[in-house]
Amino acid sequence: MGINLVSSAQMFPAYAGMNRVDAPEALFFKKAIAFMKSRVPVTKDEWTALEPKLRFRAFTVAALSSHDGIEQVRRMITSAIDEGKDVGQFWTEARALDAAGRAAEFAREQPEYLEFVGIDDGNQSDICYALTHPAIILPTTHPFWKTHWPPLHFKCRSTVRGIYSEEMDQIREENPEWKPSDVESLDQEPVAKGFGGNPIETESFYQMTPSMVERAREYGIMHDIEVFAESLGIKRRDIEIISAEGKKTMASPKPRAKKTISSAVEISFSAIQDARIKTMAERAFKNAPDEVRTIVAAHIDDFSYRLAPPRGRSYYSPSTKTIVVRRSSGPDVFVHEFGHGLDYEMLSSFIKSAEFKAAFNEDLSSLIDTKTGTIFELGERLKQDMVDKGWENLPAASDLFSGLTCGRIQGRWGHPMRYWHIPGRREVEVFADLFTVKASGDTALWSELSAYASRTCKAVEDALARR
Amino acid sequence: MYEGRMPEKLGELIDRYHERFKDDANDGFSLFDTTLSHDALVVRLERALVEGKPYDPQAEEWDEKTRKAVESGEMIF
């Protein structure tokens, strides 16, 4: 399948869920031919720049197209475009495609705030003018973005940019009085009918429609589509294929259950002076099981807490018993550093105990050959699960196995090799990582990780229970 | 559980980097240790792969005081 033959038009069915003015409620494959009007091929560079799910979306339609002779139609239509027909339509759809890519990117790496960005010239619409004078800046999770995701009207040129925590910190430091936009009092033109829907909310931009599934099976290319999706890093579970009856025809594993623990163990965080750290700590142990909450409640007052300076790092200082966290840190970072504190102070350096060392070494020996570094079968399965189950993007899980195996098995997060060569650091971090997972209350994840570090997991559980 | 998701291009770059320098004792790269922005990090990792020399944020970005505090155990990340 020549990737340079894929056109933005072929992705148009992806927006069936966006309620465009002229879009059908549901896409039927033959109607895709009609949508080929005003489409031009994208270059290889443009293709590469596309968000993976959009590429997958393009591939599925492209694969079907080649089998249905649509390429011939496309060439005819392309020549029509050369004559300047329907350019506005193409522009709007191109903007929609760009906006969907941004939405997908922000879903994967969520900024703290989003800013509505318009082009302030004589052609700016009243709709977009109202949202850019002054510019709307709101939290990424604000419901405004569910209904105001560009394009907001035909030929809309506006877009959205993400503002990440470091930039927000700078904004707040420069203007302590800064507040997000007040959309309630906004004198706003209504968004054009059928526009403004967030493509991530609908998740329709990479779904295959029933008729596409039917065609793909008829042509025997369903397997090719699945293989291609995997090559783009799109997990099988993310390929939502809805049958004509509305049922999913491709098995989708259930997301990990995030059980909220109803606990009788109260933790008072009153000893933490800084409001931001206090909030972080409260969130950090919100779902923690009782054995964790008990030990935290007993020792939360034993440490000092402070924010790291700008560009500083989060760490635990054994000499001053201080937990230092970056202001942009998530709750997991607080738990991790608290875990270091617990290990050093309350558990008398549990990681130096014979019990922990034996468990650590046994688990290590089951994953890799400690003399040659050869990865055993269990280790190979772990490597696969790191990818398949997304553990490579879970800092605690990724760092856990990186520390256990001295970097032989790791995801994208973890301490560097040099750090692992400092005596005792691997054990220290493995304990803190397991404490972080335990404190999250994600019992399913704990159970899955235990399959690869059963003895160490049990040793940590036992140590926490003894306290 | 916090998910440290990242753009796929960066993720793939990190995978390639880890594979390339997995046996290099001079490798100091970790997402925990760098303060580079996304774009700068992509450029830096690509440069490391092209040059065949690992990237060491501690040497390039950290001050001496922090490096010593980590080595002495005063700072536990």
Side-chain angles (χ1 to χ4, degrees):
Chain A
M1 196 61 52
I3 57 173
N4 57 344
L5 293 179
V6 179
S7 76
S8 58
Q10 290 166 319
M11 297 175 200
F12 180 71
Y15 302 108
M18 293 176 65
N19 299 320
R20 287 171 44 86
V21 172
D22 54 351
E25 286 186 11
L27 175 75
F28 294 98
F29 182 73
K30 288 180 180 175
K31 289 186 181 177
I33 296 171
F35 292 140
M36 297 304 289
K37 286 182 181 178
S38 77
R39 312 303 199 276
V40 295
V42 295
T43 66
K44 185 173 181 179
D45 286 344
E46 287 168 338
W47 161 269
T48 305
L50 287 176
E51 201 280 335
K53 284 176 179 171
L54 292 177
R55 271 193 264 164
F56 168 68
R57 190 69 184 79
F59 175 86
T60 56
V61 182
L64 293 165
S65 300
S66 63
H67 284 266
D68 224 24
I70 281 191
E71 277 305 305
Q72 186 179 351
V73 178
R74 186 188 59 78
R75 281 193 290 273
M76 292 165 60
I77 299 301
T78 301
S79 65
I81 293 170
D82 289 341
E83 295 168 15
K85 295 178 181 175
D86 213 7
V87 174
Q89 178 81 354
F90 169 70
W91 173 261
T92 303
E93 285 164 17
R95 298 303 303 165
L97 183 64
D98 172 66
R102 283 172 186 272
E105 191 67 38
F106 294 155
R108 288 190 306 183
E109 191 175 30
Q110 194 176 72
E112 191 174 345
Y113 279 79
L114 294 174
E115 178 180 1
F116 190 92
V117 179
I119 297 177
D120 186 12
D121 62 13
N123 290 327
Q124 188 171 38
S125 68
D126 291 343
I127 296 171
C128 294
Y129 181 89
L131 301 177
T132 49
H133 291 79
I136 295 290
I137 300 178
L138 289 167
T140 305
T141 53
H142 195 285
F144 174 85
W145 301 116
K146 292 182 180 178
T147 54
H148 291 77
W149 200 270
L152 299 187
H153 54 84
F154 190 61
K155 295 185 182 180
C156 180
R157 298 171 297 162
S158 297
T159 187
V160 168
R161 81 172 185 102
I163 307 178
Y164 290 86
S165 53
E166 287 189 353
E167 187 179 349
M168 283 311 304
D169 287 345
Q170 193 177 350
I171 291 172
R172 291 182 185 116
E173 281 177 10
E174 289 172 358
N175 178 13
E177 303 298 315
W178 183 88
K179 288 180 181 175
S181 306
D182 178 11
V183 285
E184 301 299 326
S185 60
L186 188 66
D187 183 17
Q188 184 197 337
E189 290 285 323
V191 170
K193 185 182 176 185
F195 286 88
N198 186 318
I200 296 300
E201 294 294 325
T202 63
E203 288 195 342
S204 60
F205 71 100
Y206 61 92
Q207 289 174 353
M208 292 178 70
T209 61
S211 61
M212 291 168 71
V213 174
E214 190 180 323
R215 288 275 181 160
R217 287 184 174 146
E218 181 184 336
Y219 296 142
I221 59 172
M222 199 64 211
H223 177 69
D224 291 342
I225 290 173
E226 291 171 13
V227 169
F228 183 75
E230 287 182 10
S231 75
L232 293 174
I234 300 172
K235 309 287 190 297
R236 277 178 70 93
R237 63 172 179 266
D238 288 336
I239 306 171
E240 302 280 313
I241 300 178
I242 312 298
S243 74
E245 293 77 31
K247 296 174 184 172
K248 290 182 180 178
T249 55
M250 183 178 286
S252 175
K254 290 179 182 175
R256 273 201 313 275
K258 292 194 175 178
K259 190 178 173 184
T260 300
I261 308 289
S262 175
S263 174
V265 181
E266 290 294 323
I267 305 173
S268 170
F269 295 97
S270 57
I272 302 177
Q273 302 289 316
D274 187 284
R276 277 173 288 194
I277 301 178
K278 190 176 178 182
T279 302
M280 201 186 292
E282 287 169 347
R283 288 172 58 200
F285 297 109
K286 186 181 171 189
N287 294 326
D290 278 353
E291 63 266 33
V292 170
R293 293 180 65 87
T294 301
I295 199 168
V296 172
H299 298 290
I300 191 81
D301 296 347
D302 294 348
F303 302 104
S304 299
Y305 304 87
R306 68 178 171 84
L307 285 174
R311 290 192 167 269
R313 293 170 176 78
S314 302
Y315 65 92
Y316 174 68
S317 168
S319 65
T320 60
K321 296 186 183 179
T322 302
I323 290 170
V324 181
V325 285
R326 292 182 68 175
R327 63 192 66 206
S328 56
S329 295
D332 281 18
V333 173
F334 183 90
V335 179
H336 184 94
E337 306 307 342
F338 194 90
H340 284 322
L342 274 183
D343 175 39
Y344 271 80
E345 315 304 335
M346 271 41 88
L347 301 177
S348 304
S349 289
F350 172 63
I351 57 107
K352 292 179 182 172
S353 68
E355 176 192 4
F356 185 83
K357 283 184 176 177
F360 185 99
N361 288 329
E362 280 187 50
D363 283 336
L364 171 61
S365 301
S366 68
L367 295 170
I368 63 171
D369 184 325
T370 53
K371 289 180 181 172
T372 65
T374 304
I375 298 174
F376 293 141
E377 186 184 342
L378 185 65
E380 291 293 348
R381 284 213 300 273
L382 169 58
K383 280 180 73 177
Q384 194 60 46
D385 272 353
M386 292 284 279
V387 177
D388 291 347
K389 296 183 176 177
W391 298 347
E392 63 186 357
N393 290 319
L394 293 180
S398 176
D399 191 49
L400 162 66
F401 291 113
S402 181
L404 185 59
T405 65
C406 198
R408 299 299 297 179
I409 301 173
Q410 64 178 329
R412 291 162 177 174
W413 295 86
H415 290 76
M417 287 298 293
R418 179 176 298 151
Y419 186 80
W420 294 143
H421 285 121
I422 301 174
R425 296 303 166 84
R426 288 164 58 202
E427 293 86 345
V428 163
E429 298 301 338
V430 163
F431 176 86
D433 289 327
L434 283 175
F435 181 72
T436 304
V437 177
K438 195 70 180 169
S440 74
D442 192 336
T443 52
L445 177 62
W446 177 268
S447 176
E448 287 184 310
L449 298 180
S450 295
Y452 298 105
S454 59
R455 295 163 191 87
T456 315
C457 285
K458 183 164 189 316
V460 170
E461 276 186 326
D462 290 347
L464 294 175
R466 283 197 293 272
R467 293 298 303 183
Chain B
M1 198 78 236
Y2 170 69
E3 289 194 39
R5 291 195 175 198
M6 64 192 75
E8 198 57 28
K9 184 184 175 188
L10 176 60
E12 289 168 1
L13 190 56
I14 290 172
D15 293 343
R16 278 197 289 133
Y17 179 93
H18 280 155
E19 184 60 28
R20 170 65 180 79
F21 295 112
K22 65 183 177 186
D23 296 318
D24 195 322
N26 293 318
D27 176 25
F29 167 63
S30 162
L31 281 173
F32 292 146
D33 291 352
T34 182
T35 53
L36 294 182
S37 66
H38 170 272
D39 292 353
L41 179 59
V42 167
V43 170
R44 186 63 190 85
L45 291 177
E46 285 176 341
R47 197 182 104 200
L49 287 167
V50 169
E51 293 177 346
K53 293 178 184 172
Y55 159 47
D56 186 352
Q58 296 183 26
E60 296 178 26
E61 300 164 35
W62 293 20
D63 57 42
E64 187 60 26
K65 187 181 168 188
T66 305
R67 278 199 295 272
K68 283 186 175 170
V70 171
E71 285 169 15
S72 68
E74 171 53 31
M75 291 172 80
I76 306 292
F77 289 153

